[in-house]
């Protein structure tokens, strides 16, 4: 671990952190707050996934849809129009849209095998983007002169690492370069996240074995075929399972590789000083 105590953190000339948690618990809030202070370089893992590693897949998918329209198809063939992804830190919709949801195509679903293929692409992209973090820590100092670094991981980081393996390549690389910080939510937070997701379900990454067993269980329990699955209903059902699966994974990551802060305390942060004090307290709590 990069920092051994609260004092060590507060006195450090270079403060380097990677946040992890379920989406909606404050990772982006902290990242934006620190970035706006002018002293922190912000690295978004999801943005890196969507631009560096999944960008071509995303744009090709746009083009496939455009080719279904004769007017646009002719323009594409003659290189008369340009189709691109306008993904940003705040808007990751192009990535989510590409991942898609399995089920009835008339309801926006894609075949389950295609869904698995895209999930596998995302897994490789997420691992690569996490391993790229060390490069960006160095890059932020050498090129831009930033002393501090805030990494904002995707909610699925716990699906691509083994927190119980002391030689896990991703966690080892991250912990050698920064402090891993888990934002832990309460039961109330979990229910709120589920409520938000029910209102606006969005694609996410799952471990392949868990995804396959969940898919088969859903088909069997509902006695329906894959083509009849309502994509949003399946994603809602799968999300509840993902929340319960991820919580112990996050906890093990924090216990073995980093520190824990509460989502309630994160919500109270107003500036960089507040954040630094919270991290110092979390480090001292481990001693």
């Amino acid at each position: 671990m990069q920092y051994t105590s609260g004092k060590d953190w507060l006195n450090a000339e270079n403060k380097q952190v990677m946040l992890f948690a379920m989406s909606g618990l404050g990772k982006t809030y902290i990242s934006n707050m620190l970035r706006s202070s002018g002293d922190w370089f912000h690295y978004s893992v999801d943005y890196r996934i969507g631009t560096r590693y999944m960008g071509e897949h995303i744009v090709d998918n746009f083009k496939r849809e455009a080719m279904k329209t004769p007017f646009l198809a002719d323009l594409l063939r003659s290189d008369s129009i340009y189709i691109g992804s306008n993904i940003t830190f705040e808007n990751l919709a192009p990535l989510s849209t590409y991942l898609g949801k399995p089920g009835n195509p008339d309801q926006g679903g894609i075949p389950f095998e295609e869904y698995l293929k895209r999930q596998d692409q995302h897994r490789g992209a997420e691992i690569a983007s996490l391993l790229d973090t060390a490069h960006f820590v160095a890059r932020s100092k050498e090129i831009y002169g930033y002393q501090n670094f805030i990494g904002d991981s995707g909610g699925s980081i716990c699906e691509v690492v083994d927190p119980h393996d002391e030689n896990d390549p991703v966690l080892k690389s991250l912990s050698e370069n920064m402090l891993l910080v888990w934002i832990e939510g309460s039961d109330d937070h979990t229910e709120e996240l589920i409520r938000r997701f029910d209102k606006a379900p969005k694609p996410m990454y799952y471990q392949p074995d868990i995804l396959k067993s969940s898919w088969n269980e859903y088909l069997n329990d509902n006695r329906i075929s894959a083509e009849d699955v309502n994509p949003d209903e399946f994603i809602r059902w799968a999300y509840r399972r993902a929340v319960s699966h991820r919580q112990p994974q996050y906890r093990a990551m924090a216990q073995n590789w980093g520190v824990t802060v509460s989502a309630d305390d994160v919500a109270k942060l107003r500036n960089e000083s507040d954040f630094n004090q919270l991290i110092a307290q979390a480090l001292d709590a481990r001693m």
Side-chain angles (χ1 to χ4, degrees):
M1 191 180 298
Q2 281 259 311
Y3 313 93
T4 58
S5 68
K7 183 178 180 181
D8 190 20
W9 167 263
L10 293 174
N11 291 336
E13 291 185 5
N14 303 116
K15 296 179 173 64
Q16 295 156 192
V17 177
M18 175 65 79
L19 306 174
F20 63 95
M22 288 295 291
S23 178
L25 289 179
K27 299 191 304 290
T28 302
Y29 170 70
I30 291 176
S31 298
N32 288 338
M33 178 181 68
L34 295 180
R35 184 179 63 195
S36 66
S37 74
D39 297 324
W40 292 73
F41 182 91
H42 177 198
Y43 177 70
S44 167
V45 172
D46 280 340
Y47 179 79
R48 179 70 170 169
I49 291 170
T51 54
R52 173 64 176 84
Y53 295 104
M54 297 285 282
E56 188 171 312
H57 297 311
I58 292 168
V59 173
D60 282 351
N61 194 46
F62 292 163
K63 290 178 179 178
R64 287 189 196 96
E65 292 301 312
M67 287 297 291
K68 296 176 183 178
T69 304
F71 172 71
L72 294 177
D74 288 342
L75 291 172
L76 272 176
R77 289 193 187 99
S78 63
D79 290 328
S80 299
I81 60 173
Y82 169 80
I83 294 179
S85 168
N86 191 28
I87 194 168
T88 66
F89 283 6
E90 290 76 24
N91 180 16
L92 299 167
L95 176 59
S96 293
T97 300
Y98 176 72
L99 280 178
K101 308 168 188 177
N104 189 334
D106 293 334
Q107 295 175 302
I110 60 175
F112 189 65
E113 289 305 315
E114 175 65 20
Y115 185 65
L116 287 176
K117 184 185 82 172
R118 297 183 187 189
Q119 288 272 307
D120 187 59
Q121 290 169 345
H122 189 280
R123 177 181 178 82
E126 183 159 11
I127 291 172
S129 297
L130 287 165
L131 291 173
D132 283 347
T133 307
H135 166 69
F136 274 87
V137 170
R139 189 169 180 254
S140 68
K141 293 191 183 90
E142 294 168 5
I143 298 178
Y144 302 108
Y146 284 101
Q147 295 297 104
N148 304 314
F149 183 96
I150 179 72
D152 176 1
S153 75
S156 54
I157 182 175
C158 65
E159 307 284 7
V160 301
V161 300
D162 180 357
H164 303 287
D165 180 3
E166 63 182 16
N167 292 311
D168 182 272
V170 172
L171 291 174
K172 195 170 182 180
S173 174
L174 292 175
S175 66
E176 287 173 353
N177 289 279
M178 63 201 64
L179 178 66
L180 287 164
V181 178
W182 176 34
I183 303 175
E184 181 181 15
S186 64
D187 290 342
D188 287 342
H189 287 118
T190 298
E191 289 305 312
E192 174 60 17
L193 292 179
I194 291 173
R195 187 194 67 78
R196 288 185 203 168
F197 195 89
D198 282 347
K199 186 176 180 181
K202 63 180 182 179
M204 56 189 287
Y205 174 78
Y206 304 89
Q207 286 185 16
D209 290 343
I210 293 175
L211 177 58
K212 291 175 185 176
S213 64
S214 295
W215 179 251
N216 291 329
E217 183 179 338
Y218 188 84
L219 295 181
N220 291 332
D221 288 353
N222 291 278
R223 298 181 180 180
I224 56 176
S225 66
E227 296 75 19
D228 293 327
V229 170
N230 180 306
D232 283 343
E233 289 305 312
F234 172 73
I235 290 294
R236 288 187 180 101
W237 179 83
Y239 180 78
R240 291 175 178 270
R241 294 167 66 93
V243 170
S244 60
H245 163 72
R246 288 182 177 183
Q247 199 74 356
Q249 292 292 102
Y250 289 141
R251 182 169 289 106
M253 286 174 63
Q255 289 174 344
N256 298 334
W257 298 89
V259 298
T260 302
V261 297
S262 78
D264 284 336
D265 286 338
V266 165
K268 298 173 186 175
L269 300 179
R270 293 295 176 265
N271 52 49
E272 179 184 2
S273 177
D274 290 348
F275 174 75
N276 285 331
Q277 289 299 324
L278 181 62
I279 297 301
Q281 292 167 14
L283 281 162
D284 287 339
R286 282 189 63 97
M287 299 176 65

